[in-house]
Amino acid sequence: MSVPTPPLVYRPALNGVRAIAVWLVILGHWTRLPFPVSSMGRITFFVLSGYLISGIIWKQRIHPNAAGPWWRRLGTFYQRRMIRILPPYYATLVLGALLPLATLHQHPGWFILPLPNLLFYHLQHWGEGVGHYWTMAVDEQFYLVWPFLLGLTGRRAGWFLAVAAASLLFRLGWSAWVTPNFVFVLLPSCLDMFATGALLRIVEHHPRVRQWARGRWVVLAWLAWGGLWAATHLADAPTLWILVYTTVGSGAAFITLSWVLHLPNAKQPKGTHFLSSSLLQWVGQRSYGCYLYHLMLPVIYQRVVYRVFAATETRQLWLSPLPTVLLLLPVLLLVAAASWHWFEAPLDRLKNRLAYS
């Protein structure tokens, strides 16, 4: 009888990064700020996923050509991912169908599979309350292909630089020959972020990487990314921004995560850095629930406002960014806490009982 495999070393600071990244996305969606703070969170989250998932695959040897019955461990990997991710996701689909959300009723199969990123590319517009599901679809497609890609590349840094370059070239070629619209929702367009995370897993202890692991370089990297956004929009070149922002942002996220990984006490269960604070740890643990429900709540809120208030000015006041954030933030945290306590935590315990050996 096999014993459950212990997880990789838990780093509270990375859980804090997850909390901040998810809430950057949420606040960006709720407030609709002109500056793409939501993209900062999404890029960081994808790079972090590449870092963590690559570490699991290499440690547990669940890629082709690994020693032993790698295909059995691969099956366990998929089971663990499905148990942790899909039941909460399907629960939100049920809620969305009851609201009802039109896109779910018109195209249910795309969400059940799940392939909403391909649906939104096909429709060339977002669905009401479900537009954020494209990132979850990309994440799940990434889980499917990444073990096989790592079986081909091994732990050679050059290969992941090549994957990142290929992702950029895919966006350029697809935009030139097909269309730049919604190209960023396709999995090949996102591989530069995942590859950057895998690259960080390989080189995180390299002396040169340690030299860049400084807070000032984190600030400068994101300022450069923001400067690129400003330059492309002032030059009326939004298509250029769409083509390059994830690649440039991946570099900023690489430096950010390098800094976090080299913080003092980064590996301690209770670090002293603000990223290891109790609040961020609590939010980070419930970040999946926050993300799942965050676009449905504004839909419900908007319908309530339109039912309660008849005057257009009053509706606009209540639907402006500040009231929306102040009212929905505690509601979302309560929903995420309930989801974690009654649903996600039991699933997490069930997942951890599955052994790779």
Side-chain angles (χ1 to χ4, degrees):
M1 180 178 178
S2 58
V3 179
T5 304
L8 296 172
V9 175
Y10 176 68
R11 303 189 185 193
L14 291 181
N15 198 39
V17 171
R18 181 185 288 110
I20 294 174
V22 167
W23 274 93
L24 282 175
V25 174
I26 293 171
L27 293 176
H29 287 167
W30 283 359
T31 61
R32 298 184 180 181
L33 294 171
F35 185 76
V37 293
S38 58
S39 295
M40 292 176 63
R42 174 169 52 84
I43 291 170
T44 302
F45 188 82
F46 276 170
V47 173
L48 180 59
S49 291
Y51 174 84
L52 295 173
I53 295 301
S54 298
I56 292 172
I57 292 171
W58 282 324
K59 178 184 179 182
Q60 306 297 349
R61 295 172 293 132
I62 54 180
H63 53 82
N65 302 321
W70 63 267
W71 58 92
R72 295 180 184 174
R73 297 190 293 270
L74 180 64
T76 301
F77 171 76
Y78 288 145
Q79 291 178 60
R80 289 167 65 96
R81 292 290 92 199
M82 291 172 61
I83 290 172
R84 178 66 184 93
I85 293 172
L86 291 184
Y89 167 71
Y90 287 134
T92 61
L93 293 187
V94 172
L95 176 61
L98 293 174
L99 279 176
L101 298 178
T103 308
L104 280 176
H105 279 263
Q106 294 167 1
H107 310 280
W110 294 84
F111 292 91
I112 293 172
L113 285 177
L115 296 170
N117 63 322
L118 300 183
L119 172 65
F120 299 144
Y121 178 82
H122 173 70
L123 297 176
Q124 292 289 293
H125 66 78
W126 304 113
E128 181 190 37
V130 293
H132 60 308
Y133 286 163
W134 79 266
T135 58
M136 298 167 56
V138 166
D139 234 7
E140 289 153 17
Q141 293 156 23
F142 158 69
Y143 297 147
L144 287 175
V145 305
W146 205 244
F148 297 95
L149 184 61
L150 295 194
L152 293 173
T153 61
R155 301 194 192 191
R156 294 185 289 273
W159 278 103
F160 293 101
L161 291 173
V163 171
S167 181
L168 174 60
L169 290 174
F170 171 84
R171 291 195 299 272
L172 293 171
W174 196 273
S175 299
W177 295 319
V178 185
T179 176
N181 298 329
F182 281 75
V183 65
F184 60 89
V185 305
L186 303 176
L187 176 62
S189 294
C190 300
L191 289 180
D192 52 351
M193 294 175 279
F194 297 123
T196 301
L199 177 64
L200 177 59
R201 172 64 75 170
I202 296 172
V203 303
E204 62 179 297
H205 299 299
H206 193 280
R208 289 187 178 179
V209 174
R210 288 179 177 271
Q211 291 176 0
W212 286 91
R214 300 289 187 272
R216 62 178 179 273
W217 296 117
V218 173
V219 174
L220 287 173
W222 286 112
L223 284 176
W225 185 81
L228 176 65
W229 172 82
T232 54
H233 283 71
L234 287 174
D236 195 23
T239 300
L240 177 60
W241 167 254
I242 291 174
L243 294 177
V244 302
Y245 81 99
T246 60
T247 300
V248 178
S250 294
F254 179 97
I255 296 173
T256 302
L257 294 176
S258 299
W259 169 68
V260 172
L261 291 168
H262 291 96
L263 287 173
N265 301 321
K267 296 183 181 180
Q268 299 303 318
K270 293 184 179 180
T272 57
H273 199 268
F274 81 97
L275 289 171
S276 302
S277 66
S278 299
L279 176 61
L280 284 182
Q281 294 307 300
W282 188 91
V283 174
Q285 192 176 52
R286 292 153 184 83
S287 58
Y288 185 45
C290 290
Y291 191 77
L292 281 173
Y293 293 97
H294 85 273
L295 276 188
M296 288 189 180
L297 288 184
V299 174
I300 299 172
Y301 176 59
Q302 183 183 52
R303 293 179 183 181
V304 170
V305 168
Y306 269 76
R307 182 176 292 273
V308 173
F309 303 105
T312 302
E313 296 79 4
T314 306
R315 289 174 176 175
Q316 291 177 345
L317 174 64
W318 282 98
L319 293 175
S320 60
L322 184 60
T324 298
V325 172
L326 292 179
L327 289 171
L328 294 188
L329 189 151
V331 174
L332 180 56
L333 290 176
L334 286 173
V335 171
S339 175
W340 172 258
H341 181 75
W342 298 108
F343 200 21
E344 296 175 57
L347 288 170
D348 215 38
R349 290 192 292 270
L350 176 61
K351 179 205 72 176
N352 290 333
R353 293 177 63 182
L354 294 176
Y356 281 110
S357 54

